[in-house]
Amino acid sequence: MATIDLIVLGMLKKAPMSAYDIQKLVDYRNISKWVKISTPSIYKKTIQLEEKGFIAGDIVKEGKMPEKAIYSLTEAGEREFERLMAEISGKPIRIFLDFNAVIVNLDSLPPEKQGACIADIESNIKELKIYLEENIQAKEHVPEIPATGMAVLKQQLVLAEAIEAWILSLKSD
């Protein structure tokens, strides 16, 4: 998947690191909340990217720790990173919301169950919005947090607020 490729290559563009370090950075930055990426996919992707020549792994041993591969971007990886940046940014925007599968099927449920589904979605959006607001507040003045990371958090908050407003209009219809 090109998105995972871009995430891995982008992280390695900034600094060489192990697959474990990439996975920890994905967790720390909560990237899996915004992009479909899992821990196994990161490990699998590093192997694939190395096989394609986009990254190179050097085996290192630090103290009594087991050996690990530290990956860095190759020249081909630099070109692939730039190609993916252009390709993905040039694609039409599609916003996939899993709960839309529920919305399109609401009329197949009795009214009380329709209301329960909408209430669940509304509750989950409120929970997401609280998480985003707290995360933005906690990270707003942390110099290590890149402005681009904050931009994604703020984008997600705007989307959550829009969905919250949409739910209110759905309930009033």
Side-chain angles (χ1 to χ4, degrees):
M1 174 183 274
T3 306
I4 297 172
D5 291 10
L6 184 56
I7 289 169
V8 172
L9 293 173
M11 289 182 175
L12 294 175
K13 184 164 176 55
K14 292 179 180 166
M17 61 183 81
S18 68
Y20 176 79
D21 293 331
I22 294 168
Q23 183 261 319
K24 286 297 174 197
L25 199 51
V26 164
D27 286 348
Y28 175 72
R29 292 185 179 169
N30 295 311
I31 292 171
S32 60
K33 282 193 175 282
W34 329 121
V35 176
K36 290 189 181 205
I37 187 171
S38 65
T39 298
S41 67
I42 293 168
Y43 286 90
K44 183 178 175 184
K45 191 52 66 179
T46 56
I47 292 166
Q48 291 172 349
L49 291 170
E50 186 175 32
E51 287 171 353
K52 292 178 180 177
F54 296 142
I55 64 175
D58 290 322
I59 304 299
V60 297
K61 182 164 175 52
E62 296 172 354
K64 295 182 180 184
M65 299 297 292
E67 290 181 341
K68 64 180 177 179
I70 301 294
Y71 296 98
S72 57
L73 221 50
T74 63
E75 285 184 35
E78 290 270 353
R79 289 189 301 275
E80 180 67 359
F81 170 78
E82 290 179 11
R83 188 192 72 73
L84 287 172
M85 287 290 286
E87 176 187 306
I88 293 171
S89 65
K91 285 184 179 179
I93 304 295
R94 291 182 182 86
I95 300 173
F96 298 103
L97 303 170
D98 292 341
F99 67 82
N100 277 336
V102 172
I103 300 302
V104 299
N105 287 298
L106 276 176
D107 59 358
S108 297
L109 290 175
E112 67 279 359
K113 290 188 178 183
Q114 290 179 21
C117 288
I118 292 170
D120 285 343
I121 294 167
E122 183 176 32
S123 173
N124 288 328
I125 287 294
K126 284 182 181 178
E127 192 176 307
L128 174 62
K129 189 176 163 194
I130 289 167
Y131 164 80
L132 290 165
E133 289 169 338
E134 289 172 352
N135 208 349
I136 289 168
Q137 188 176 25
K139 293 179 178 174
E140 222 167 11
H141 303 292
V142 178
E144 300 85 48
I145 305 296
T148 52
M150 288 303 297
V152 170
L153 284 174
K154 290 175 181 178
Q155 170 212 67
Q156 294 297 306
L157 179 59
V158 168
L159 289 171
E161 289 169 342
I163 292 169
E164 191 174 52
W166 168 79
I167 289 170
L168 287 174
S169 72
L170 181 67
K171 287 169 52 175
S172 68
D173 287 344

